[in-house]
């Protein structure tokens, strides 16, 4: 718990954002196995596991992970509709999405009151400071477009740009965006290679989704990771 700031669920990985980020990737795959298994004991196991993961993510109050799960499940539902898979997979995804949105809404109102309205209006403190850090990260990339600052050197590069009153004096060791972090660390070459790798994974999985819904679950897992990594600490 971080009582000095707000009630915060603990995490085995130190920061609840990391814990919930990894769980967000597992949820689409767990839902696939839940809807695909035929044996009742295994179905109970996957249903319980999926519910607990959704509950833990909601309790973490990590907006990046919550958004990641919502986007992943919503995207998965759209892909199932596009592939004309209207069976139990679609029902499981829809039920999971509705249940998770309810849990996340209740948890955010307990742990981070008014965070939803403030985030939608771009008035939340963390949100404003991260926008400043993103802008500074873009300048850092343009300053060293081919080599970057080097791996694990983001904090050094950030300090070179000085304190910003809009960032409330905070010092960031990462920009809370995996793409900007890679761009700062290794320049455009590293960023391009990483983006091509992600695109290749999504393309190959989409091609295989005609035959097996597991590929849609894998796409959902990658989407969850991209969303969580784009708005949370990495």
């Amino acid at each position: 718990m971080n009582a000095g700031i707000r009630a915060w669920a603990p995490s085995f990985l130190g920061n609840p954002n990391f814990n919930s980020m990894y769980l967000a990737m597992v949820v689409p795959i767990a839902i696939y196995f839940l809807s695909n298994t035929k044996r009742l004991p295994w179905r109970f196991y996957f249903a319980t596991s999926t519910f607990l993961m959704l509950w833990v993510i909601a309790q973490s109050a990590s907006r990046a992970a919550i958004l990641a799960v919502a986007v992943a499940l919503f995207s998965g539902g759209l892909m199932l509709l596009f592939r004309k898979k209207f069976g139990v997979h679609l029902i499981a995804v829809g039920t999971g999405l509705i249940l998770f949105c309810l849990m996340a809404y209740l948890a955010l109102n307990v742990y981070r009151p008014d965070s939803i309205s403030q985030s939608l209006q771009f008035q939340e403190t963390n949100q404003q400071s991260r926008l400043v850090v993103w802008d500074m990260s873009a300048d850092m990339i343009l300053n060293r477009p081919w080599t970057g600052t080097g791996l694990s050197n983001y904090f050094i590069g950030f300090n070179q740009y000085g304190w910003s009153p809009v960032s409330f004096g905070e010092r960031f060791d990462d920009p809370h965006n995996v793409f900007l972090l890679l761009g700062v660390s290794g320049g455009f070459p590293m960023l391009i290679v990483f983006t091509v790798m992600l695109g290749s994974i999504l393309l190959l999985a989409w091609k295989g989704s005609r035959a097996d819904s597991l590929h849609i679950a894998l796409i959902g897992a990658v989407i969850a990771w991209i969303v969580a990594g784009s708005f949370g600490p990495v």
Side-chain angles (χ1 to χ4, degrees), residues 82-161:
F82 185 84
R83 290 301 192 196
K84 298 182 179 179
K85 299 178 183 293
F86 304 116
V88 65
H89 294 89
L90 184 60
I91 295 174
V93 169
T95 303
L97 177 59
I98 294 173
L99 178 63
F100 177 70
C101 288
L102 177 61
M103 289 192 294
Y105 177 79
L106 294 175
L108 285 174
N109 276 288
V110 171
Y111 299 120
R112 308 179 78 162
D114 301 323
S115 64
I116 298 177
S117 60
Q118 290 179 354
S119 297
L120 293 175
Q121 298 173 11
F122 292 92
Q123 295 179 349
E124 208 270 334
T125 302
N126 287 340
Q127 193 177 37
Q128 294 176 0
S129 63
R130 291 180 188 182
L131 290 176
V132 174
V133 173
W134 288 0
D135 183 62
M136 294 176 64
S137 299
D139 292 337
M140 292 163 66
I141 295 174
L142 294 177
N143 187 45
R144 297 177 181 270
W146 303 114
T147 61
T149 60
L151 297 177
S152 301
N153 285 337
Y154 184 87
F155 186 71
I156 298 176
F158 178 85
N159 286 333
Q160 292 177 353
Y161 280 78

Side-chain angles (χ1 to χ4, degrees), residues 36-208:
N36 199 56
T37 184
K38 304 299 182 184
R39 300 183 61 182
L40 184 60
W42 284 110
R43 182 164 291 183
F44 176 78
Y45 168 78
F46 285 117
T48 304
S49 300
T50 303
F51 176 83
L52 289 176
M53 285 188 286
L54 293 175
W55 181 80
V56 169
I57 295 170
Q59 292 299 310
S60 73
S62 170
R63 289 170 298 178
I66 290 173
L67 180 63
V69 173
V71 172
L73 295 183
F74 183 76
S75 301
L78 291 180
M79 287 184 283
L80 289 170
L81 289 174
F82 185 84
R83 290 301 192 196
K84 298 182 179 179
K85 299 178 183 293
F86 304 116
V88 65
H89 294 89
L90 184 60
I91 295 174
V93 169
T95 303
L97 177 59
I98 294 173
L99 178 63
F100 177 70
C101 288
L102 177 61
M103 289 192 294
Y105 177 79
L106 294 175
L108 285 174
N109 276 288
V110 171
Y111 299 120
R112 308 179 78 162
D114 301 323
S115 64
I116 298 177
S117 60
Q118 290 179 354
S119 297
L120 293 175
Q121 298 173 11
F122 292 92
Q123 295 179 349
E124 208 270 334
T125 302
N126 287 340
Q127 193 177 37
Q128 294 176 0
S129 63
R130 291 180 188 182
L131 290 176
V132 174
V133 173
W134 288 0
D135 183 62
M136 294 176 64
S137 299
D139 292 337
M140 292 163 66
I141 295 174
L142 294 177
N143 187 45
R144 297 177 181 270
W146 303 114
T147 61
T149 60
L151 297 177
S152 301
N153 285 337
Y154 184 87
F155 186 71
I156 298 176
F158 178 85
N159 286 333
Q160 292 177 353
Y161 280 78
W163 175 84
S164 171
V166 186
S167 66
F168 306 99
E170 291 188 55
R171 301 289 182 176
F172 287 79
D173 58 359
D174 76 83
H176 291 67
N177 183 292
V178 65
F179 297 98
L180 289 175
L181 178 62
L182 291 175
V184 171
S185 300
F188 285 114
M190 180 178 288
L191 178 59
I192 291 173
V193 169
F194 180 74
T195 304
V196 170
M197 181 184 69
L198 280 182
S200 300
I201 294 173
L202 293 173
L203 180 60
L204 291 173
W206 176 247
K207 288 183 178 179

